[in-house]
Amino acid sequence: MDAFTTHTGTAAPLRRSAVDTDQIIPAEYLKRITRTGFEDGLFVAWRTNEPDFVLNQPQYADATVLVAGPDFGTGSSREHACWALLDGGFRVVISSRFADIFKNNSTKSGLLTVVLPQADVEALWQAVEADPATPVTVDLQSRTVTYGDTTVPFEVDEYTRWRLLEGLDDVGLTERHLADVEAFEAQRPSWLPRALPALPA
Amino acid sequence: MPKTLAEKVYDAHVVRSAAGEPDLLYIDLHLVHEVTSPQAFDGLRAAGRRVRRPELTMATEDHNVPTLDVLKPIADPVSRAQVEALRHNAAEFGIRLAPMGDRDQGIVHVIGPQLGLTQPGTTIVCGDSHTSTHGAFGALAFGIGTSEVEHVLATQTLPQYRPKQMAVTVEGELPEGVSSKDVILAVIARIGTNGAAGHVIEYRGSAIEALSMEARMTICNMSIEAGARAGVIAPDETTFAYLQGRPHAPQGTDWDAAVEYWRTLRTDEGAVFDSEVVLDAAELAPFVTWGTNPGQGLPLTERVPDPAELADDNERRAAEQALAYMGLTPGTPLREIEVDTVFLGSCTNGRIEDLRTAAELLRGKRIDPDTRMLVVPGSIGVKLQAEAEGLDRVFTEAGAEWRGAGCSMCLGMNPDQLKPGERSASTSNRNFQGRQGKGGRTHLVSPSVAAATALTGRLTAPADLAETAGV
């Protein structure tokens, strides 16, 4: 996972709520067994069927910050949704509320999800609609979103922030606690399920 | 301190807890399918890691699986390559796989309970959001992404933050013709498609206790459609009776020890929930969705809502976008909406009881000639059971198509898809835009509403059939 410290780019206003992961990337693109190259599936139905969809507008085509309505990323657990956004050039998604699994996946794949109150999202929408070239800076060090004269703080838990700043992968961190895992395993009841073929009674 | 059921299961699996860090949670069972695992196995290979506990890991093929010609190679080369990747990975890493054609194959959330792998008090994960299904047994079960799949394969643990607790209490008796699908659709309509974010929902109350295991699974399955991390129901005699004798259930003295422990898995008197929703079972009715997320639902007796009556800007815009996509006009009675396809199946409603319920309504009748009905059992086990009971003939004699087992038209990763503009009544879990095929329009319903709809060609409750027949 790439480390995230600070990012400056232009922002696309996605005025839709409850954007589900089937819209971010439809299931047919999930047949691939690679971890990259999902940009062609990103919002593909809306890009195909709606000429005025925000990402079809040239002034937002190079945006790297997506500013979405509430409840972004509901539905399927597909991490491909994060990969598609990253492959499509986005480094940050801002919303007033995310679905849990999407938010969790984002922290594993290096996509920064920033929660701001809906009033701040609305103000940011208006700013980037008034001037699509507005640079937006998302700084994970100082936990702020800045555009024009406006700076808005955001919250992120210290552990996730540290992992993202360092670009650390969880497996390596957990392996430091292998002794704890082994101690736990030693006291598990013997009757817990095992997936090996069942023996005849 | 009094604890909720979910807190008890969570606390019993904490391997390590440290201030300022997520807890490390032990995972008892990891279910794997072909779609969300190939990149995780690649990650293991790249790092030279093995699967830490292959015997706590079970794989099957479900999402891409065709429901016709199931013994031939998959025609779609991309789907075939993904299924073959799983076969290769399962063999290389020593994981049990139930492939197409195997009698244990099926939708991952159908086979876990069927085999007795899903047990009370366990932690269960899968790279699939409907893992919440297994909470019906009092397991803490939740969907994860591919990075987390890799983490569980490598360490048999997951870093987790303690979830909040929500109670959904349903007291009383469900009216005739109202099923657990209607209960969960009503819950989601009440709290919204992400209204339970950050929470585990515990379903409780006399109406929940009266449900069969399969009906409970339907409710827990759709916890994710309310945004919940997981859904749980306290295990009871119904749970134990369902589990006893299944291939992977404990046996002999192990069974006694397990049941003794399982009986402790109840929310303590005085335990605190962060929020509670209360429903009166007697007031529930057959439900149907009109929009493009599972929270946009109403009783079937209602009309398509008017977005102009919604005060909140975001909700109004969402309703307008949903109706435009669904091709619906405000004020239209829901019972006048005509459908092209009825889909009976999925991890929500593809179990034997669901098939029995639908077959009972179709027995000796013919479905509407302009309506296509697909019946897709959730697993080979369900398929064989249904055929032993003669349900397959009830469906085919009614004019429905009897198919092989898999996820099928729930998400259209196989050839079972809606065409653009086609409308379905579907017993699955998601009515998202394009979910069942590009441009397809989905109305979520229960199995009995699905069967009644197939008979008339428009959204219909079973009680409506009796009225039209003059009974």
Side-chain angles (χ1 to χ4, degrees), chain B residues 420-444:
Chain B
E422 274 191 340
R423 189 181 297 282
S424 78
S426 176
T427 65
S428 55
N429 40 56
R430 289 190 173 135
N431 51 343
F432 296 153
Q433 294 184 25
R435 171 81 177 179
Q436 297 190 289
K438 278 179 204 157
R441 295 160 168 166
T442 303
H443 297 275
L444 300 177

Side-chain angles (χ1 to χ4, degrees), chain A residues 19 42 50 91 111 122 125 132 135 137-138 141 156 173 187 200:
Chain A
V19 172
L42 179 65
E50 300 181 23
R91 289 303 319 270
L111 177 73
E122 183 64 46
W125 274 340
T137 297
V138 181
Q141 303 268 19
V156 53
L173 294 173
Q187 50 82 48

Side-chain angles (χ1 to χ4, degrees), chain A residues 4 15 22-23 38 43 46 49 54 82 96 110 113 117-118 129 140 154 157 160 163 168 181 193 195:
Chain A
F4 190 108
R15 282 188 180 264
D22 276 75
Q23 307 318 310
F38 290 95
F43 295 120
W46 291 341
N49 302 327
V54 62
C82 298
S96 64
T113 42
Q118 186 58 33
E129 282 166 353
L140 185 57
F154 65 87
D157 75 83
T160 301
R163 276 185 53 252
L168 294 172
V181 177

Side-chain angles (χ1 to χ4, degrees), chain A residues 165-180:
Chain A
L165 287 171
E166 301 289 330
L168 294 172
D169 109 78
D170 276 334
V171 178
L173 294 173
T174 297
E175 283 179 339
R176 297 179 189 174
H177 306 301
L178 201 56
D180 293 323

